[in-house]
Structure formats: structure tokens, C-alpha cells
Amino acid sequence: MTEAVDWLEWHRAYDDPESRLSARLRVVQRRIAEALHAYPDPLRVVSMCAGQGRDLIGALADHERRGDVTALLVELDERNIAIARDAVRAAALDGVRVVRADAALSDSYEGGVPAEVVLACGVFGNISDAEVLHTVARIPMLCAARATVIWTRYRDPERDFIPTICEQFERAGFEQVSLDTSEELRFGVGVHRLVTEPPKFVRGERFFTFLR
Ligand SMILES: C[S@@+](CC[C@H](N)C(=O)[O-])C[C@H]1O[C@@H](n2cnc3c(N)ncnc32)[C@H](O)[C@@H]1O
């Protein structure tokens, strides 16, 4: 049986600026900052499995659009939620809300969608390949017109799943904006923009079952 991951501990690698996770975070924050420039008001962001919210909170802290953003961070671990809420308060980001809810369920996003920016960081490496493909196929229901989805996935040198994820985004009505990959750091950060009409949001949809 796989041992359960301690999701507070998982975030400790961010404390080391030289870690792979910190390198990934810098790329994600840069891509978020760029995406925020692409939209007029309103500007809604949702984050699936937001953890401590380091990506969005870090990107927003000094961003010129910070006051225009309403965000919903969906996370299950109370300890990470507390840290994320402290960071939101410290950065005085009044439009950012952190909720304890199951990010796998569409209902958890009610009130925060349709979103111009959807974050799926640290998700696609923790669910089955079939669930990754299912989540990508259903993610448009969280999206506003021309929404940007920013996602991550580790790079497996034996079997790189990132190209398959990109193909699935294209099948789901997205075009690729960028793909940052690093053989050395073994991660990929993808940015895809929805170029088809967003479908209706539906309650009761299950995107994935997080492996814990
Ligand atoms: C790999 S971490 C990623 C955190 C953050 N997105 C990042 O990239 O820094 C995964 C996070 O998902 C949370 N999580 C796991 N299953 C979840 C679920 N079903 N709903 C919401 N959060 C979940 C964990 O508590 C953990 O904080």
C-alpha cells in the first residue's frame, strides 16, 4: 500500500530556494503574472488543490492587477489552509478566499466560476493518468471564455506523459500558450487557453480521486 503523503511536509521543499519545487514555483508564478494581464475586469481565479497558495499569492502580491482579482483556493488540509489564509492576510489580498473543500468535486467551485484563470498545479502528478485525462476533458466547465489553465506535471524520463496531456487539452478545446519543461529539474509547466465556447457548469461532477 502507498503511504499517505503529509501535505504540510510536502510544502517544506519550498523553503529551499534551490529545490526543484522552488524552481517550478518561480515558473508558475511568472506564468500566472503573465496570464493576469490578458483579461479586463472581472478577473476570477480558481486553484484546485491550492495547498498553501504560494503560487497565486506570490504572483499577486506585487501585481498591478491585484486589486481586480477575485480568487477561490480549494484545499483540504486544514494546516495548509491556515498558512494560506495567513499569507492572504499578510499580502492584504481582500479578493482571495481559501475554502476547505474537495477540489475533485465541481460543487466546490460554485461561486468562484467561471474563472479567467484556472490553476491545476501539483494535481496531475498525484492522480491516475486516466483521471488526468478526465479532468482535462471536464475542466472547461470551470472556465470563462478564453480562460487560461496553468498546470504542472513531473517529467518521467522513462515515460513522459506531458505530450499526452497537451494533446488532451487540444481535444478539450484549448490551444497551447506555453510549455516550460526542464529535463534537469524534471517538471513541466503548461499553459493552455480555451479557444472554444465554455460549456455549462454542472454540479455533481467528480474530476478525480486524489491519492492520499
Ligand atoms: C502536491 S500539493 C500541491 C499544492 C499547490 N497546488 C502547489 O502546487 O504548491 C497537493 C495539495 O492538494 C491537497 N489535496 C489533496 N486532495 C485534495 C482534494 N481532494 N481536494 C482539495 N485538496 C486536496 C493536499 O492537501 C495538498 O496541499
Side-chain angles (χ1 to χ4, degrees):
M1 220 176 91
T2 325
E3 215 173 287
V5 178
D6 181 327
W7 292 118
L8 177 70
E9 284 302 314
W10 181 90
H11 285 76
R12 293 225 189 273
Y14 282 132
D15 297 337
D16 173 6
E18 303 297 320
S19 70
R20 290 187 178 134
L21 206 56
S22 292
R24 192 190 85 176
L25 179 64
R26 289 189 285 273
V27 176
V28 172
Q29 287 177 335
R30 192 175 73 239
R31 293 305 184 189
I32 294 171
E34 286 167 5
L36 295 177
H37 283 297
Y39 303 96
D41 288 342
L43 222 171
R44 286 154 299 193
V45 181
V46 292
S47 177
M48 303 182 130
C49 301
Q52 299 174 355
R54 293 187 186 221
D55 43 20
L56 181 65
I57 297 166
L60 273 183
D62 297 320
H63 200 282
E64 63 184 38
R65 302 294 311 276
R66 52 172 281 141
D68 303 330
V69 174
T70 305
L72 180 66
L73 276 58
V74 182
E75 168 62 30
L76 267 186
D77 189 310
E78 292 283 12
R79 302 164 302 169
N80 288 333
I81 291 169
I83 291 168
R85 286 183 178 152
D86 283 349
V88 167
R89 259 192 303 276
L93 292 167
D94 300 337
V96 178
R97 208 155 49 92
V98 187
V99 295
R100 181 169 196 275
D102 185 355
L105 252 190
S106 60
D107 307 39
S108 302
Y109 300 89
E110 268 196 312
V113 292
E116 278 69 29
V117 179
V118 176
L119 304 179
C121 300
V123 179
F124 294 166
N126 293 293
I127 60 180
S128 72
D129 290 354
E131 286 179 313
V132 172
L133 300 181
H134 177 72
T135 303
V136 172
R138 305 302 284 145
I139 221 167
M141 77 162 74
L142 303 179
C143 291
R146 298 201 55 82
T148 302
V149 179
I150 301 173
W151 56 274
T152 64
R153 163 81 185 202
Y154 65 85
R155 281 194 69 173
D156 182 344
E158 305 292 310
R159 195 187 66 91
D160 186 3
F161 195 53
I162 290 174
T164 311
I165 299 175
C166 291
E167 283 164 23
Q168 183 73 344
F169 267 106
E170 275 152 42
R171 269 194 292 274
F174 292 83
E175 69 181 14
Q176 186 173 304
V177 176
S178 62
L179 178 64
D180 297 286
T181 59
S182 165
E183 199 111 0
E184 193 195 337
L185 298 172
R186 288 195 257 135
F187 64 71
V189 177
V191 179
H192 279 82
R193 178 167 305 129
L194 188 67
V195 289
T196 53
E197 195 66 28
K200 225 169 99 46
F201 172 80
V202 288
R203 303 188 87 233
E205 172 80 22
R206 176 160 284 282
F207 300 119
F208 54 81
T209 311
F210 214 114
L211 303 181
R212 297 181 66 89

mmCIF file of all heavy atoms in Angstrom, residues 107-136:
data_model
loop_
_atom_site.group_PDB
_atom_site.id
_atom_site.type_symbol
_atom_site.label_atom_id
_atom_site.label_comp_id
_atom_site.label_asym_id
_atom_site.label_seq_id
_atom_site.Cartn_x
_atom_site.Cartn_y
_atom_site.Cartn_z
ATOM 1 N N ASP A 107 -18.897 20.950 -7.410
ATOM 2 C CA ASP A 107 -19.679 21.780 -6.481
ATOM 3 C C ASP A 107 -18.794 22.732 -5.669
ATOM 4 O O ASP A 107 -19.226 23.814 -5.268
ATOM 5 C CB ASP A 107 -20.460 20.904 -5.485
ATOM 6 C CG ASP A 107 -21.313 19.856 -6.166
ATOM 7 O OD1 ASP A 107 -20.850 19.281 -7.168
ATOM 8 O OD2 ASP A 107 -22.430 19.608 -5.699
ATOM 9 N N SER A 108 -17.557 22.306 -5.419
ATOM 10 C CA SER A 108 -16.657 23.096 -4.571
ATOM 11 C C SER A 108 -16.270 24.431 -5.206
ATOM 12 O O SER A 108 -15.739 25.311 -4.534
ATOM 13 C CB SER A 108 -15.384 22.301 -4.270
ATOM 14 O OG SER A 108 -15.729 21.087 -3.639
ATOM 15 N N TYR A 109 -16.514 24.566 -6.493
ATOM 16 C CA TYR A 109 -16.098 25.788 -7.200
ATOM 17 C C TYR A 109 -17.247 26.776 -7.384
ATOM 18 O O TYR A 109 -17.044 27.860 -7.927
ATOM 19 C CB TYR A 109 -15.498 25.424 -8.571
ATOM 20 C CG TYR A 109 -14.299 24.532 -8.430
ATOM 21 C CD1 TYR A 109 -14.441 23.143 -8.395
ATOM 22 C CD2 TYR A 109 -13.024 25.065 -8.277
ATOM 23 C CE1 TYR A 109 -13.343 22.308 -8.223
ATOM 24 C CE2 TYR A 109 -11.922 24.246 -8.110
ATOM 25 C CZ TYR A 109 -12.088 22.864 -8.085
ATOM 26 O OH TYR A 109 -10.995 22.062 -7.914
ATOM 27 N N GLU A 110 -18.432 26.386 -6.929
ATOM 28 C CA GLU A 110 -19.596 27.263 -7.096
ATOM 29 C C GLU A 110 -19.320 28.610 -6.452
ATOM 30 O O GLU A 110 -18.783 28.673 -5.348
ATOM 31 C CB GLU A 110 -20.840 26.633 -6.471
ATOM 32 C CG GLU A 110 -21.596 25.816 -7.478
ATOM 33 C CD GLU A 110 -23.013 25.492 -7.013
ATOM 34 O OE1 GLU A 110 -23.154 25.049 -5.862
ATOM 35 O OE2 GLU A 110 -23.940 25.668 -7.817
ATOM 36 N N GLY A 111 -19.654 29.655 -7.129
ATOM 37 C CA GLY A 111 -19.404 30.993 -6.589
ATOM 38 C C GLY A 111 -18.058 31.551 -7.052
ATOM 39 O O GLY A 111 -17.836 32.749 -6.973
ATOM 40 N N GLY A 112 -17.182 30.690 -7.536
ATOM 41 C CA GLY A 112 -15.858 31.156 -7.979
ATOM 42 C C GLY A 112 -15.678 31.047 -9.483
ATOM 43 O O GLY A 112 -14.672 31.507 -10.024
ATOM 44 N N VAL A 113 -16.624 30.410 -10.133
ATOM 45 C CA VAL A 113 -16.516 30.193 -11.585
ATOM 46 C C VAL A 113 -17.725 30.828 -12.296
ATOM 47 O O VAL A 113 -18.745 31.056 -11.638
ATOM 48 C CB VAL A 113 -16.455 28.675 -11.910
ATOM 49 C CG1 VAL A 113 -15.156 28.093 -11.408
ATOM 50 C CG2 VAL A 113 -17.644 27.905 -11.360
ATOM 51 N N PRO A 114 -17.602 31.101 -13.575
ATOM 52 C CA PRO A 114 -16.497 30.802 -14.480
ATOM 53 C C PRO A 114 -15.274 31.679 -14.202
ATOM 54 O O PRO A 114 -15.410 32.857 -13.908
ATOM 55 C CB PRO A 114 -17.080 31.103 -15.871
ATOM 56 C CG PRO A 114 -18.166 32.104 -15.634
ATOM 57 C CD PRO A 114 -18.729 31.783 -14.288
ATOM 58 N N ALA A 115 -14.098 31.060 -14.302
ATOM 59 C CA ALA A 115 -12.851 31.751 -13.966
ATOM 60 C C ALA A 115 -12.025 32.034 -15.216
ATOM 61 O O ALA A 115 -11.995 31.236 -16.144
ATOM 62 C CB ALA A 115 -12.041 30.895 -13.000
ATOM 63 N N GLU A 116 -11.364 33.162 -15.190
ATOM 64 C CA GLU A 116 -10.462 33.522 -16.301
ATOM 65 C C GLU A 116 -9.151 32.734 -16.199
ATOM 66 O O GLU A 116 -8.524 32.443 -17.210
ATOM 67 C CB GLU A 116 -10.164 35.034 -16.287
ATOM 68 C CG GLU A 116 -11.235 35.907 -16.922
ATOM 69 C CD GLU A 116 -12.544 35.956 -16.140
ATOM 70 O OE1 GLU A 116 -12.506 35.806 -14.900
ATOM 71 O OE2 GLU A 116 -13.601 36.125 -16.781
ATOM 72 N N VAL A 117 -8.754 32.410 -14.968
ATOM 73 C CA VAL A 117 -7.517 31.639 -14.777
ATOM 74 C C VAL A 117 -7.820 30.458 -13.846
ATOM 75 O O VAL A 117 -8.392 30.643 -12.773
ATOM 76 C CB VAL A 117 -6.388 32.512 -14.172
ATOM 77 C CG1 VAL A 117 -5.125 31.683 -13.951
ATOM 78 C CG2 VAL A 117 -6.080 33.709 -15.080
ATOM 79 N N VAL A 118 -7.458 29.260 -14.312
ATOM 80 C CA VAL A 118 -7.664 28.041 -13.516
ATOM 81 C C VAL A 118 -6.281 27.436 -13.255
ATOM 82 O O VAL A 118 -5.513 27.208 -14.195
ATOM 83 C CB VAL A 118 -8.549 27.022 -14.274
ATOM 84 C CG1 VAL A 118 -8.683 25.723 -13.481
ATOM 85 C CG2 VAL A 118 -9.937 27.614 -14.567
ATOM 86 N N LEU A 119 -5.982 27.196 -11.990
ATOM 87 C CA LEU A 119 -4.693 26.601 -11.631
ATOM 88 C C LEU A 119 -4.885 25.141 -11.265
ATOM 89 O O LEU A 119 -5.736 24.815 -10.424
ATOM 90 C CB LEU A 119 -4.078 27.338 -10.434
ATOM 91 C CG LEU A 119 -3.876 28.850 -10.595
ATOM 92 C CD1 LEU A 119 -3.277 29.439 -9.314
ATOM 93 C CD2 LEU A 119 -2.968 29.136 -11.780
ATOM 94 N N ALA A 120 -4.107 24.280 -11.904
ATOM 95 C CA ALA A 120 -4.102 22.851 -11.560
ATOM 96 C C ALA A 120 -2.632 22.477 -11.357
ATOM 97 O O ALA A 120 -2.024 21.796 -12.191
ATOM 98 C CB ALA A 120 -4.750 22.033 -12.664
ATOM 99 N N CYS A 121 -2.052 22.976 -10.287
ATOM 100 C CA CYS A 121 -0.617 22.774 -10.028
ATOM 101 C C CYS A 121 -0.456 21.781 -8.890
ATOM 102 O O CYS A 121 -1.097 21.914 -7.845
ATOM 103 C CB CYS A 121 0.043 24.100 -9.687
ATOM 104 S SG CYS A 121 -0.108 25.289 -11.043
ATOM 105 N N GLY A 122 0.388 20.778 -9.116
ATOM 106 C CA GLY A 122 0.572 19.747 -8.102
ATOM 107 C C GLY A 122 -0.595 18.779 -8.057
ATOM 108 O O GLY A 122 -0.808 18.102 -7.054
ATOM 109 N N VAL A 123 -1.347 18.706 -9.132
ATOM 110 C CA VAL A 123 -2.514 17.805 -9.186
ATOM 111 C C VAL A 123 -2.231 16.619 -10.119
ATOM 112 O O VAL A 123 -2.380 15.460 -9.724
ATOM 113 C CB VAL A 123 -3.775 18.565 -9.675
ATOM 114 C CG1 VAL A 123 -4.974 17.618 -9.757
ATOM 115 C CG2 VAL A 123 -4.095 19.750 -8.773
ATOM 116 N N PHE A 124 -1.772 16.900 -11.330
ATOM 117 C CA PHE A 124 -1.688 15.848 -12.350
ATOM 118 C C PHE A 124 -0.609 14.797 -12.068
ATOM 119 O O PHE A 124 -0.571 13.769 -12.736
ATOM 120 C CB PHE A 124 -1.466 16.457 -13.739
ATOM 121 C CG PHE A 124 -2.625 17.291 -14.248
ATOM 122 C CD1 PHE A 124 -2.461 18.141 -15.339
ATOM 123 C CD2 PHE A 124 -3.882 17.235 -13.651
ATOM 124 C CE1 PHE A 124 -3.523 18.908 -15.808
ATOM 125 C CE2 PHE A 124 -4.950 18.002 -14.118
ATOM 126 C CZ PHE A 124 -4.769 18.844 -15.200
ATOM 127 N N GLY A 125 0.236 15.053 -11.075
ATOM 128 C CA GLY A 125 1.217 14.032 -10.695
ATOM 129 C C GLY A 125 0.723 13.144 -9.568
ATOM 130 O O GLY A 125 1.417 12.225 -9.155
ATOM 131 N N ASN A 126 -0.461 13.441 -9.068
ATOM 132 C CA ASN A 126 -0.957 12.726 -7.890
ATOM 133 C C ASN A 126 -2.254 11.976 -8.138
ATOM 134 O O ASN A 126 -2.873 11.481 -7.186
ATOM 135 C CB ASN A 126 -1.148 13.719 -6.739
ATOM 136 C CG ASN A 126 0.177 14.279 -6.272
ATOM 137 O OD1 ASN A 126 1.001 13.559 -5.732
ATOM 138 N ND2 ASN A 126 0.394 15.549 -6.536
ATOM 139 N N ILE A 127 -2.684 11.934 -9.388
ATOM 140 C CA ILE A 127 -3.893 11.187 -9.746
ATOM 141 C C ILE A 127 -3.530 10.253 -10.905
ATOM 142 O O ILE A 127 -2.466 10.401 -11.505
ATOM 143 C CB ILE A 127 -5.076 12.144 -10.110
ATOM 144 C CG1 ILE A 127 -4.720 13.051 -11.304
ATOM 145 C CG2 ILE A 127 -5.459 12.995 -8.907
ATOM 146 C CD1 ILE A 127 -5.844 14.021 -11.705
ATOM 147 N N SER A 128 -4.404 9.301 -11.184
ATOM 148 C CA SER A 128 -4.058 8.343 -12.243
ATOM 149 C C SER A 128 -4.062 9.044 -13.609
ATOM 150 O O SER A 128 -4.685 10.094 -13.768
ATOM 151 C CB SER A 128 -5.067 7.196 -12.251
ATOM 152 O OG SER A 128 -6.309 7.664 -12.750
ATOM 153 N N ASP A 129 -3.387 8.433 -14.566
ATOM 154 C CA ASP A 129 -3.344 9.015 -15.915
ATOM 155 C C ASP A 129 -4.753 9.186 -16.472
ATOM 156 O O ASP A 129 -5.065 10.195 -17.114
ATOM 157 C CB ASP A 129 -2.521 8.121 -16.853
ATOM 158 C CG ASP A 129 -1.029 8.158 -16.518
ATOM 159 O OD1 ASP A 129 -0.634 8.964 -15.631
ATOM 160 O OD2 ASP A 129 -0.267 7.384 -17.123
ATOM 161 N N ALA A 130 -5.598 8.182 -16.237
ATOM 162 C CA ALA A 130 -6.983 8.258 -16.750
ATOM 163 C C ALA A 130 -7.710 9.445 -16.127
ATOM 164 O O ALA A 130 -8.469 10.151 -16.804
ATOM 165 C CB ALA A 130 -7.723 6.958 -16.447
ATOM 166 N N GLU A 131 -7.437 9.676 -14.832
ATOM 167 C CA GLU A 131 -8.093 10.814 -14.166
ATOM 168 C C GLU A 131 -7.545 12.156 -14.654
ATOM 169 O O GLU A 131 -8.281 13.134 -14.718
ATOM 170 C CB GLU A 131 -7.934 10.693 -12.651
ATOM 171 C CG GLU A 131 -8.832 9.616 -12.059
ATOM 172 C CD GLU A 131 -8.631 9.496 -10.565
ATOM 173 O OE1 GLU A 131 -7.476 9.449 -10.115
ATOM 174 O OE2 GLU A 131 -9.641 9.449 -9.849
ATOM 175 N N VAL A 132 -6.270 12.187 -14.988
ATOM 176 C CA VAL A 132 -5.701 13.421 -15.563
ATOM 177 C C VAL A 132 -6.473 13.739 -16.844
ATOM 178 O O VAL A 132 -6.948 14.868 -17.047
ATOM 179 C CB VAL A 132 -4.192 13.261 -15.885
ATOM 180 C CG1 VAL A 132 -3.693 14.477 -16.660
ATOM 181 C CG2 VAL A 132 -3.373 13.060 -14.617
ATOM 182 N N LEU A 133 -6.625 12.727 -17.689
ATOM 183 C CA LEU A 133 -7.289 12.957 -18.977
ATOM 184 C C LEU A 133 -8.748 13.362 -18.771
ATOM 185 O O LEU A 133 -9.266 14.252 -19.444
ATOM 186 C CB LEU A 133 -7.179 11.710 -19.870
ATOM 187 C CG LEU A 133 -5.732 11.302 -20.200
ATOM 188 C CD1 LEU A 133 -5.719 10.077 -21.121
ATOM 189 C CD2 LEU A 133 -4.950 12.447 -20.850
ATOM 190 N N HIS A 134 -9.399 12.723 -17.793
ATOM 191 C CA HIS A 134 -10.798 13.060 -17.494
ATOM 192 C C HIS A 134 -10.899 14.494 -16.981
ATOM 193 O O HIS A 134 -11.782 15.259 -17.390
ATOM 194 C CB HIS A 134 -11.371 12.075 -16.467
ATOM 195 C CG HIS A 134 -12.770 12.384 -16.064
ATOM 196 N ND1 HIS A 134 -13.855 12.180 -16.905
ATOM 197 C CD2 HIS A 134 -13.280 12.936 -14.934
ATOM 198 C CE1 HIS A 134 -14.959 12.578 -16.293
ATOM 199 N NE2 HIS A 134 -14.645 13.039 -15.100
ATOM 200 N N THR A 135 -9.989 14.862 -16.078
ATOM 201 C CA THR A 135 -10.017 16.221 -15.506
ATOM 202 C C THR A 135 -9.826 17.262 -16.606
ATOM 203 O O THR A 135 -10.550 18.262 -16.659
ATOM 204 C CB THR A 135 -8.921 16.376 -14.421
ATOM 205 O OG1 THR A 135 -9.128 15.365 -13.434
ATOM 206 C CG2 THR A 135 -8.964 17.747 -13.771
ATOM 207 N N VAL A 136 -8.872 17.019 -17.489
ATOM 208 C CA VAL A 136 -8.628 17.977 -18.579
ATOM 209 C C VAL A 136 -9.872 18.089 -19.463
ATOM 210 O O VAL A 136 -10.276 19.191 -19.862
ATOM 211 C CB VAL A 136 -7.387 17.562 -19.403
ATOM 212 C CG1 VAL A 136 -7.241 18.429 -20.651
ATOM 213 C CG2 VAL A 136 -6.125 17.649 -18.545
#
